[in-house]
Amino acid sequence: MGRPLAWLVVVLLQAAAFADERCPMNASTPAPENAYLVNDVLWAGEPEQAYPPAAYRPVPGGGFVLCTCETGPCMRKCCEPNLVFVGLKCLPLNESIKFEVPTYVNENGTVDAHETGLFHLVYGKPTCANKYHMNPLVEEKDNFRITKAGWLLNESGSVIAPPGKFCLDTFTSFNYQILPVVCSPEQMTNEGLGRNMLYIIGMFLSLPFLFSTFLVYALIKDLRNLHGKSLMCHVATLLVAYTSLITVQFTTDNVIQEWCIFLAYIVQFSFLGSFFWLNVMCFDLWWTFSGFRPLRGNIQEHEAKKFIIYSIYAWGCTSFISLCTFGMEEYLPLDAIRPEFGIKSCWFASYSATLLYFYGPIGILLFSNLLMFIHTAIMIVKHMRDARVLSGSESQKNVDHEKQRNMLYFRFMLYLKLFIVMGVNWLAEIISWASGSNGSELVWYVTDIGNSLQGVLIFLIFVCKKRVLNLLNKKLCPRFQLFKASTTASTRTTNSSISRTSSNTKNKDAVEMSSTCRKTSTNNQLHDVKV
């Protein structure tokens, strides 16, 4: 008897599940036993009532179920009975709270409500990838109405969501107001879908290049100096940011969940971290050419002290902004600019919050980078002019100055590429974001694709150089010679002639991001140049 009974239970459960899946909101009730069909119309009940095909479903093994939400209006309650939203979680309260379906809600709260018992309540959030909640108490444009058929409308009467594509519940953080959580429109335009797919593909392509850049600088000791470590920090934050963004793009979880909020904080922290480390590299370049007095000690101690200071600045500022974001969410009043992660998506819920907590700090950093880059370029031109003036009649001296001018020009072009890759794209994106719907779709394509491919461009700039590839060649496969000896010897000779005034200074990597060009008090030659 045990096996047949268990088999029967399984069949009944499968039948009920089959019926529920085909009924709106998966809500159904068994039809009376005396139900019968007449020309696809189901007759059942006492007194008999006719049910059209949309209102019933046959079940395997015989019998029917009535689709509850076809026989009468249904309304979804987001949380289970006796649970409400406390913050962003469904939790019980000690006090009893009446749930009623509002007719109209504006900035003053519920104006009117439907009679009790009009709607059959279905518990649970709707199944959709992205959701957001409407809050007339904060945004006047979020004023809404709910019809007797269960449709969600805006104040002018336009449809926001049909039944089943939103749910209602009490939010304790908004004065116990009943508010809707709505499925975001899933349809995307062909242009928006294409841009989104190109962005994801670009980030996927960038990941291995970012990881390879980090690995190369981690493996080769000669590259792990101040600027190499700064580049590694920048690349590491971009690697985390892109991984988190890809995860957000493919997640199908409810946006009002801790996982979504956690990802939003990770994306914010990692991107801000990458820009602060970019700011560190630009500052170090500017400091080097500005002629300020360096820290005391030898080169290694000097760089170690600077890296500690830079780390405190970059990680400290990034952590401070993230902690402020968290604190603003938890402790700000309802009418303030709160981040509201997980409300509309796994990101900020409003334009003002995005500006305040993300694009604002990035814009300030990029603007300061631009100023430092312009001043550095002016200083490079000045050094080149001074080197030209210092050219004397001695042939060797002329050769040295010519090599110095060429190296300065090389560095200028390297920094120009770096600024274009990491700065101009994001400046353009901020402008496009600020323009909103008035912005050109072409600009969004260019900025999104350019930013998503930053990993590839960084790899090309900082790894695909003869000096770095030669060092990597010696590290991994010393028996195989990637470049001719003459090329390497020539490069070393050039570097030696540039820095020959410091006998204890080793040759530096040709792709480092800054140079120390200073005038000594005893002569006018450039020294301590890092290549």
Side-chain angles (χ1 to χ4, degrees):
M1 291 295 293
R3 283 189 174 182
L5 181 59
W7 177 82
L8 180 60
V9 170
V10 170
V11 170
L12 290 177
L13 289 175
Q14 289 178 343
F18 173 78
D20 282 350
E21 288 177 358
R22 299 181 58 189
C23 286
M25 300 191 199
N26 292 341
S28 64
T29 55
E33 294 182 357
N34 61 349
Y36 61 94
L37 286 175
V38 177
N39 296 329
D40 291 335
V41 176
L42 183 71
W43 292 85
E46 290 291 341
E48 282 191 336
Q49 185 175 350
Y51 296 94
Y56 70 88
R57 299 288 183 268
V59 295
F64 302 90
V65 295
L66 301 178
C67 295
T68 305
C69 300
E70 290 289 348
T71 59
C74 286
M75 183 58 59
R76 279 191 176 275
K77 184 180 183 300
C78 304
C79 301
E80 296 296 323
N82 303 320
L83 300 182
V84 297
F85 278 120
V86 179
L88 297 176
K89 297 180 180 179
C90 291
L91 297 175
L93 289 179
N94 295 329
E95 54 186 309
S96 177
I97 298 179
K98 180 182 178 181
F99 178 81
E100 57 183 6
V101 179
T103 301
Y104 176 58
V105 179
N106 60 16
E107 63 274 11
N108 298 319
T110 300
V111 176
D112 196 9
H114 291 286
E115 61 271 19
T116 303
L118 174 63
F119 296 96
H120 174 80
L121 294 182
V122 178
Y123 299 98
K125 305 179 189 70
T127 303
C128 49
N130 296 316
K131 307 177 185 68
Y132 65 95
H133 88 253
M134 300 177 63
N135 191 354
L137 304 181
V138 176
E139 296 284 347
E140 185 177 352
K141 64 180 181 180
D142 282 350
N143 294 354
F144 67 90
R145 302 177 183 273
I146 296 179
T147 68
K148 289 185 177 181
W151 289 70
L152 179 66
L153 312 178
N154 61 19
E155 194 169 24
S156 62
S158 300
V159 175
I160 298 175
K165 291 300 181 181
F166 71 98
C167 63
L168 296 172
D169 222 310
T170 303
F171 284 76
T172 60
S173 57
F174 297 114
N175 298 328
Y176 293 87
Q177 177 61 49
I178 295 176
L179 300 172
V181 176
V182 189
C183 287
S184 300
E186 298 179 359
Q187 296 83 9
M188 296 183 65
T189 63
N190 291 332
E191 291 182 350
L193 182 60
R195 178 162 58 88
N196 193 53
M197 287 304 300
L198 288 174
Y199 190 58
I200 295 174
I201 293 172
M203 288 190 293
F204 262 121
L205 290 174
S206 284
L207 288 180
F209 286 96
L210 287 171
F211 181 75
S212 299
T213 303
F214 183 88
L215 193 62
V216 167
Y217 276 76
L219 287 176
I220 302 175
K221 184 178 180 180
D222 291 345
L223 299 180
R224 293 198 305 269
N225 49 28
L226 173 63
H227 308 291
K229 291 178 181 178
S230 300
L231 178 64
M232 289 171 64
C233 291
H234 177 74
V235 169
T237 51
L238 281 180
L239 190 63
V240 174
Y242 283 3
T243 303
S244 301
L245 270 181
I246 291 173
T247 305
V248 169
Q249 293 292 332
F250 284 99
T251 185
T252 56
D253 292 337
N254 189 341
V255 296
I256 308 180
Q257 290 182 346
E258 293 181 357
W259 175 244
C260 180
I261 297 172
F262 173 76
L263 283 176
Y265 278 109
I266 292 297
V267 171
Q268 183 204 26
F269 181 89
S270 53
F271 266 121
L272 287 176
S274 70
F275 280 100
F276 273 105
W277 276 108
L278 175 61
N279 185 248
V280 162
M281 292 184 284
C282 291
F283 172 81
D284 190 72
L285 170 67
W286 171 79
W287 179 275
T288 299
F289 279 90
S290 62
F292 287 106
R293 186 176 180 180
L295 298 174
R296 294 182 179 180
N298 57 36
I299 294 178
Q300 288 78 11
E301 292 178 353
H302 177 205
E303 291 192 347
K305 292 177 182 178
K306 289 178 71 176
F307 183 72
I308 293 174
I309 295 173
Y310 290 159
S311 297
I312 294 173
Y313 164 74
W315 297 124
C317 291
T318 305
S319 301
F320 176 75
I321 295 176
S322 294
L323 289 175
C324 285
T325 304
F326 178 80
M328 297 301 183
E329 179 64 52
E330 296 295 325
Y331 303 112
L332 277 185
L334 301 180
D335 56 349
I337 302 176
R338 302 170 64 195
E340 296 184 305
F341 286 145
I343 299 300
K344 294 186 177 181
S345 64
C346 298
W347 197 232
F348 298 100
S350 66
Y351 178 96
S352 301
T354 309
L355 176 63
L356 181 61
Y357 303 110
F358 189 68
Y359 279 127
I362 288 177
I364 294 172
L365 290 173
L366 289 179
F367 183 70
S368 66
N369 292 349
L370 176 62
L371 294 180
M372 287 187 290
F373 177 79
I374 293 174
H375 186 254
T376 302
I378 294 173
M379 295 301 296
I380 289 176
V381 173
K382 183 177 182 298
H383 281 303
M384 293 177 66
R385 188 177 300 166
D386 291 343
R388 189 178 297 111
V389 171
L390 291 172
S391 297
S393 59
E394 300 178 10
S395 59
Q396 183 61 40
K397 194 174 183 179
N398 290 335
V399 171
D400 290 342
H401 285 297
E402 183 65 26
K403 290 178 179 178
Q404 291 169 1
R405 287 196 297 270
N406 291 339
M407 193 56 63
L408 288 170
Y409 177 75
F410 166 77
R411 288 194 205 95
F412 177 79
M413 295 307 297
L414 179 65
Y415 302 143
L416 180 62
K417 294 176 185 177
L418 182 65
F419 180 77
I420 292 174
V421 169
M422 301 180 185
V424 174
N425 270 340
W426 275 93
L427 284 172
E429 176 158 328
I430 293 175
I431 295 173
S432 298
W433 168 80
S435 64
S437 59
N438 297 324
S440 171
E441 189 73 20
L442 178 61
V443 175
W444 278 111
Y445 266 106
V446 173
T447 56
D448 282 354
I449 295 173
N451 287 331
S452 65
L453 290 175
Q454 276 190 18
V456 180
L457 299 174
I458 290 173
F459 181 85
L460 293 175
I461 292 175
F462 294 104
V463 177
C464 293
K465 297 292 181 181
K466 288 184 179 180
R467 179 64 174 167
V468 175
L469 294 177
N470 189 53
L471 290 172
L472 188 62
N473 177 200
K474 291 182 178 180
K475 178 72 175 179
L476 301 180
C477 189
R479 294 184 178 181
F480 176 75
Q481 189 175 1
L482 186 62
F483 297 103
K484 294 181 180 181
S486 58
T487 303
T488 305
S490 175
T491 303
R492 290 179 177 175
T493 302
T494 302
N495 295 340
S496 178
S497 65
I498 294 173
S499 59
R500 60 192 177 89
T501 58
S502 179
S503 59
N504 295 326
T505 304
K506 296 181 180 179
N507 292 329
K508 301 297 180 180
D509 181 7
V511 295
E512 285 186 1
M513 297 181 51
S514 71
S515 307
T516 313
C517 294
R518 302 176 299 169
K519 292 182 182 178
T520 65
S521 58
T522 58
N523 58 60
N524 291 324
Q525 293 182 347
L526 298 176
H527 69 98
D528 287 343
V529 179
K530 292 184 182 179
V531 181

